[in-house]
């Protein structure tokens, strides 16, 4: 039986989870449809999901569809949990993107569709809620064409919109030929010669959908079940089944990590090639780790069941890989793990309650970060503080509730602040020589720092002979450089720069007659790790750095007569409108706004626009801080900016 790994994506409240329930019911997997409001759906299993009525974690369920086993992955719709969506995209064969017939295309819909198109993932659109008051057909199709993609093929027509009598009648209209002929020369020739047949049209539709050239659009209601049978038929016919050679080398990707009641770790993975069996030893990750598979469960017939093996194309839970992380490759690496969406741009400090043990809190946060790699943890040993990176305020509330309910830890948070970066202004260099001046380390290190293009990362180069000292010392310098660049002079990460080692030197291994190694006269890796931060921060000081804050690209749709009230508020939030377009009684403003002010704009927009304003925002770039006090971030290292304090801390540690 073929396998199809299918994702269900949408903006929040479009009816994704309800559609999942309806698909499972129509396929005969469940006897009764669960309700998001009642908190008894098949995929929203977390207590927090059922309380809030939103999907937080992706969930896999399975159902048979004639000759295909569909592994259906329900994903969060709220933008704060975009990391959950990101991890799923790399394992999908196809997607159903859900749009509400009432609310239409939303900001999150646009973000998702852009990513699906970039990755060329075959995508069907399902316009849900046609039975709800305010449901639209033509208007939604026009919005999809204008704001998502013009390459859409309506798969039928509707009647009784906005009532319980709403119906969807399948059938390809004249618009299908116009769209499909643009990508199919054979169909275009048949059109010119007036020899187009339904079979030819259908064949072209299947081929172009599977190549992600066009996107069929279905209408229906997850609540009443209208249009769902047509969607199921479309899923089976139009989306490509999973490929992969079961006899090839084992290659898979982990997209989710779970922990059981006893703390045991299970990895949800898609196998792209080969066959993996229990008791197999398999490499995973990028650091050469290896583990033995102790148990496997494969998804099928509505749930996952224990199996002796998982083959190419299937999704399974794997036990036994203790150090596995999300994004890790299993077996032969297929390709580097990609980040499809913008990284988190906000940060907050976790404040433990009066009875919370700091060790227990750190362990709990580490386990949460293990399940969500975009929750960046930053621990300050001196202040005994841990900060986490965020996409938004809702995510902060969920972390708080999860710590309380799953770990019994009560916490609060400090005010959310933007995650800034530092960029070099110019070039700087510094050097300290072994056994000279005030250098207490048995090492010579010289470094030059140069600006690098945005997105190029940190590059480490040598201007000294590689054989001039043991390779381990060069490696100690490079590793320490990369670690130190996580905290520039203002405390923020320096993500892009070139660092060149200009000087090197060491004291060769010394020993007294008939005695062992004399550490006091011989260089060690600790000498280079201790000296490098002092040299690097001096080079950075001479080069100069400038703090850049995250900026979001925003788009506001609002009534035109509210523009006068909206513009002064945007100016007060240091937002910069770039374009203004009037559309009848409405207007569209587009521009940039600091990430730190997006939440305030979200809160104030309804009052400024009589509740009719819509805001879409997404991270765009980092820009120099030009207003107010330049933000600084408390350091978590031994503070090489203060030489006396640094040497006191480091030499004490080396002596210990």
């Amino acid at each position: 039986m073929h396998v199809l790994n299918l994702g269900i994506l949408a903006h929040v409240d479009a009816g994704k989870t309800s559609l999942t329930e309806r698909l499972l019911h129509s396929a005969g997997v469940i006897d009764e449809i669960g309700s998001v409001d009642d908190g008894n759906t098949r995929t929203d299993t977390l207590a927090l999901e059922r309380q809030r009525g939103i999907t937080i974690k992706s969930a896999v369920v399975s159902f048979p569809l004639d000759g295909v086993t569909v592994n259906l992955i329900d994903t969060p719709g709220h933008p704060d949990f975009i990391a959950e969506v990101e991890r799923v995209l790399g394992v999908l064969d196809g997607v159903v993107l859900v749009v509400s017939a009432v609310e239409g295309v939303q900001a999150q819909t646009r973000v998702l569709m852009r990513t699906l198109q970039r990755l060329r993932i075959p995508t069907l659109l399902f316009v849900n809620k046609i039975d709800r008051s305010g449901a639209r057909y033509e208007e939604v199709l026009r919005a999809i064409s204008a704001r998502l993609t013009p390459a859409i093929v309506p798969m039928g027509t509707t009647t009784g919109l906005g009532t319980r009598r709403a119906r969807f009648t399948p059938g390809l209209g004249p618009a299908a030929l116009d769209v499909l002929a643009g990508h199919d020369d054979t169909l275009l020739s048949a059109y010119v010669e007036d020899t187009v047949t339904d079979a030819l049209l259908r064949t072209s539709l299947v081929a172009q959908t599977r190549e992600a050239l066009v996107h069929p659009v279905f209408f229906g209601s997850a609540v009443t079940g209208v249009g769902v049978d047509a969607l199921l038929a479309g899923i089976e016919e139009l989306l490509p089944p999973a490929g992969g050679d079961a006899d090839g080398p084992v290659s898979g990707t982990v997209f989710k990590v779970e922990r059981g009641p006893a703390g045991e770790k299970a990895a949800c993975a898609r196998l792209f090639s080969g066959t993996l069996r229990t008791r197999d030893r398999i490499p995973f990750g990028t650091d050469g780790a290896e583990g033995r598979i102790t148990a496997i469960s494969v998804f099928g017939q509505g749930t996952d069941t224990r199996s002796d093996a998982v083959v190419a194309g299937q999704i399974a839970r794997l036990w036994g890989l203790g150090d596995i992380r999300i994004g890790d490759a299993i077996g032969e690496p297929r390709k580097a793990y990609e980040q499809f969406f913008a990284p988190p741009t906000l940060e907050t400090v976790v404040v433990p309650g009066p009875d919370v043990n700091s060790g227990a809190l750190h362990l709990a946060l580490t386990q949460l970060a293990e399940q969500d790699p975009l929750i960046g943890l930053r621990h300050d040993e001196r202040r005994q503080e841990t900060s986490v990176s965020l996409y938004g305020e809702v995510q902060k509330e969920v972390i708080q509730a999860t710590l309380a309910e799953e770990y019994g830890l009560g916490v609060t948070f400090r005010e959310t602040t933007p995650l800034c970066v530092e960029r070099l202004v110019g070039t700087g260099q510094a050097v300290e020589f072994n056994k000279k001046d005030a250098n207490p380390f048995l090492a010579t290190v010289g470094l030059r720092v140069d600006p690098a293009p945005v997105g190029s990362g940190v590059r480490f180069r040598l201007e000294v002979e590689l054989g001039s000292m043991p390779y381990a010392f060069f490696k100690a310098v490079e590793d320490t450089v990369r670690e130190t660049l996580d905290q520039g002079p203002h405390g923020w990460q320096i993500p892009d720069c070139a660092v060149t080692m200009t000087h090197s030197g060491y004291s060769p291994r010394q020993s007294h007659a008939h005695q062992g190694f004399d550490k006091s006269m011989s260089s060690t890796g600790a000498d280079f790790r201790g000296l490098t931060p002092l040299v690097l921060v001096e080079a950075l000081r001479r080069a100069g750095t400038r703090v850049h804050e995250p900026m979001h690209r925003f788009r506001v749709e609002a009534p035109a007569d509210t523009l006068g009230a909206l513009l002064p508020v945007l100016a007060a939030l240091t937002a910069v409108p770039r374009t203004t377009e009037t559309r009848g009684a409405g207007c569209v403003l587009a521009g940039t706004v600091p990430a730190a002010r997006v939440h305030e704009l979200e809160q104030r927009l309804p009052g400024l626009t009589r509740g009719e304003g819509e805001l879409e925002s997404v991270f765009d770039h980092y820009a120099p801080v030009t207003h107010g006090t330049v933000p600084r971030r408390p350091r978590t290292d031994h503070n090489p900016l203060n030489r006396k304090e640094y040497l006191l801390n480091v030499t004490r540690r080396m002596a210990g």
Side-chain angles (χ1 to χ4, degrees):
M1 179 177 279
H2 292 300
V3 174
L4 169 64
N5 297 300
L6 177 71
I8 303 287
L9 275 60
H11 65 83
V12 68
D13 290 334
K16 243 179 341 73
T17 302
S18 298
L19 178 59
T20 299
E21 291 290 308
R22 176 59 68 175
L23 291 173
L24 293 175
H25 182 266
S26 296
V29 170
I30 57 176
D31 296 326
E32 185 176 346
I33 296 174
S35 165
V36 174
D37 293 335
D38 294 339
N40 59 356
T41 60
R42 187 67 176 269
T43 53
D44 286 348
T45 56
L46 298 179
L48 192 58
E49 291 177 312
R50 292 177 169 177
Q51 289 168 14
R52 298 183 69 101
I54 60 172
T55 301
I56 297 170
K57 296 289 185 182
S58 59
V60 184
V61 290
S62 182
F63 63 87
L65 189 61
D66 292 336
V68 180
T69 294
V70 179
N71 292 324
L72 191 152
I73 307 178
D74 184 21
T75 60
H78 198 287
D80 280 14
F81 308 107
I82 195 68
E84 281 291 322
V85 180
E86 174 171 285
R87 294 191 290 272
V88 167
L89 292 181
V91 304
L92 298 179
D93 303 304
V95 163
V96 173
L97 181 61
V98 185
V99 178
S100 168
V102 180
E103 290 87 6
V105 174
Q106 300 289 292
Q108 183 75 347
T109 323
R110 287 163 56 85
V111 171
L112 293 169
M113 190 64 181
R114 280 197 299 264
T115 306
L116 293 170
Q117 289 177 308
R118 189 167 75 248
L119 299 175
R120 297 188 63 81
I121 298 177
T123 302
L124 311 180
L125 284 92
F126 183 74
V127 181
N128 192 25
K129 302 184 181 181
I130 66 170
D131 58 322
R132 298 284 184 87
S133 176
R136 299 159 296 158
Y137 179 82
E138 295 290 350
E139 293 90 334
V140 172
L141 281 178
R142 282 196 296 268
I144 291 172
S145 179
R147 302 185 64 187
L148 298 183
T149 172
I152 58 173
V153 178
M155 297 300 291
T157 57
T158 61
T159 56
L161 279 176
T163 71
R164 298 287 291 185
R165 298 185 302 277
R167 294 292 179 267
F168 175 71
T169 305
L172 293 177
L177 180 58
D178 295 339
V179 174
L180 295 171
H183 301 284
D184 188 335
D185 290 341
T186 301
L187 186 61
L188 182 60
S189 297
Y191 172 67
V192 172
E193 297 167 5
D194 198 22
T195 57
V196 175
T197 63
D198 289 342
L200 184 62
L201 199 63
R202 205 79 192 183
T203 300
S204 182
L205 174 64
V206 172
Q208 293 189 46
T209 302
R210 293 185 174 187
E211 292 176 16
L213 294 173
V214 301
H215 306 285
V217 182
F218 297 84
F219 282 73
S221 168
V223 172
T224 66
V226 168
V228 172
D229 287 344
L231 176 63
L232 282 168
I235 290 170
E236 181 182 5
E237 178 190 15
L238 302 174
L239 295 178
D245 180 8
D247 298 321
V250 173
S251 178
T253 299
V254 175
F255 65 91
K256 185 176 181 179
V257 171
E258 304 170 332
R259 281 191 180 271
E264 69 277 16
K265 186 185 289 187
C268 291
R270 157 81 186 265
L271 207 62
F272 292 95
S273 171
T275 300
L276 189 60
R277 298 176 175 84
T278 53
R279 294 181 293 280
D280 280 355
R281 290 197 68 85
I282 192 75
F284 61 88
T286 57
D287 57 0
E290 192 175 84
R292 184 187 299 277
I293 303 297
T294 58
I296 297 172
S297 65
V298 176
F299 286 89
Q301 301 299 319
T303 185
D304 61 314
T305 54
R306 288 301 173 104
S307 174
D308 293 330
V310 53
V311 301
Q314 291 183 318
I315 287 177
R317 283 192 177 96
L318 307 175
W319 284 266
L321 307 179
D323 296 323
I324 197 82
R325 291 183 61 85
I326 289 169
D328 278 352
I330 296 176
E332 290 194 3
R334 182 167 169 265
K335 60 180 179 180
Y337 181 67
E338 295 182 67
Q339 185 166 310
F340 306 127
F341 301 106
T345 56
L346 302 171
E347 184 179 54
T348 186
V349 174
V350 183
V351 180
D355 300 323
V356 171
N357 177 273
S358 60
L361 176 59
H362 184 68
L363 177 62
L365 288 170
T366 301
Q367 290 188 358
L368 289 183
E370 179 184 81
Q371 298 170 39
D372 186 346
L374 292 185
I375 292 181
L377 292 185
R378 186 172 181 270
H379 188 63
D380 187 335
E381 284 287 350
R382 292 183 298 168
R383 298 175 181 82
Q384 287 297 300
E385 292 179 350
T386 301
S387 52
V388 296
S389 53
L390 302 167
Y391 278 98
E393 296 298 316
V394 173
Q395 189 181 13
K396 185 163 68 175
E397 296 171 17
V398 167
I399 293 173
Q400 183 181 34
T402 302
L403 288 172
E405 294 174 12
E406 296 187 15
Y407 297 92
L409 302 173
V411 302
T412 56
F413 297 92
R414 291 191 193 150
E415 182 183 3
T416 303
T417 57
L419 267 172
C420 299
V421 299
E422 292 184 55
R423 300 201 185 280
L424 293 181
V425 175
T427 295
Q429 56 186 355
V431 60
E432 294 209 23
F433 293 97
N434 186 6
K435 300 178 182 176
K436 287 188 178 180
D437 301 322
N439 177 10
F441 302 103
L442 295 178
T444 294
V445 174
L447 298 171
R448 185 179 67 248
V449 294
D450 296 285
V454 173
S456 61
V458 174
R459 292 176 292 166
F460 183 78
R461 303 179 295 203
L462 297 178
E463 277 186 2
V464 295
E465 290 288 339
L466 186 59
S468 62
M469 64 180 188
Y471 173 74
F473 295 163
F474 286 113
K475 187 70 167 64
V477 172
E478 179 178 358
D479 290 347
T480 307
V481 161
R482 296 183 182 278
E483 180 182 327
T484 305
L485 288 173
D486 281 340
Q487 301 182 74
H490 294 85
W492 304 103
Q493 182 187 23
I494 301 176
D496 305 300
C497 71
V499 181
T500 305
M501 191 169 184
T502 58
H503 297 75
S504 66
Y506 74 109
S507 295
R509 183 183 181 93
Q510 300 287 329
S511 63
H512 298 296
H514 310 296
Q515 294 182 9
F517 169 58
D518 188 348
K519 182 178 178 181
S520 66
M521 300 175 63
S522 311
S523 297
T524 66
D527 288 299
F528 288 90
R529 287 190 293 272
L531 180 58
T532 296
L534 289 173
V535 177
L536 181 57
V537 297
E538 179 60 21
L540 292 171
R541 187 187 65 78
R542 295 176 181 179
T545 65
R546 191 170 186 183
V547 177
H548 288 57
E549 64 180 335
M551 302 293 292
H552 279 221
R553 183 173 65 252
F554 76 86
R555 183 179 187 274
V556 172
E557 289 191 26
D561 62 357
T562 65
L563 195 59
L566 192 55
L567 288 174
V569 172
L570 289 173
L573 297 175
T574 63
V576 180
R578 304 289 184 188
T579 61
T580 305
E581 180 184 350
T582 302
R583 297 179 179 176
C587 66
V588 178
L589 282 172
T592 56
V593 60
R597 314 307 292 269
V598 170
H599 184 59
E600 186 176 351
L601 179 56
E602 288 175 337
Q603 291 180 315
R604 298 189 64 176
L605 187 64
L608 296 168
T609 60
R610 301 189 297 272
E612 299 179 45
E614 291 184 9
L615 171 67
E616 173 184 335
S617 80
V618 64
F619 170 77
D620 190 64
H621 67 284
Y622 287 94
V625 174
T626 57
H627 53 277
T629 305
V630 175
R632 302 187 72 92
R633 193 188 199 194
R635 302 189 71 87
T636 60
D637 57 12
H638 293 296
N639 191 18
L641 295 173
N642 184 326
R643 186 182 183 93
K644 183 178 180 180
E645 176 188 342
Y646 176 82
L647 290 176
L648 187 65
N649 287 323
V650 172
T651 53
R652 183 191 299 129
R653 184 186 62 178
M654 290 175 66

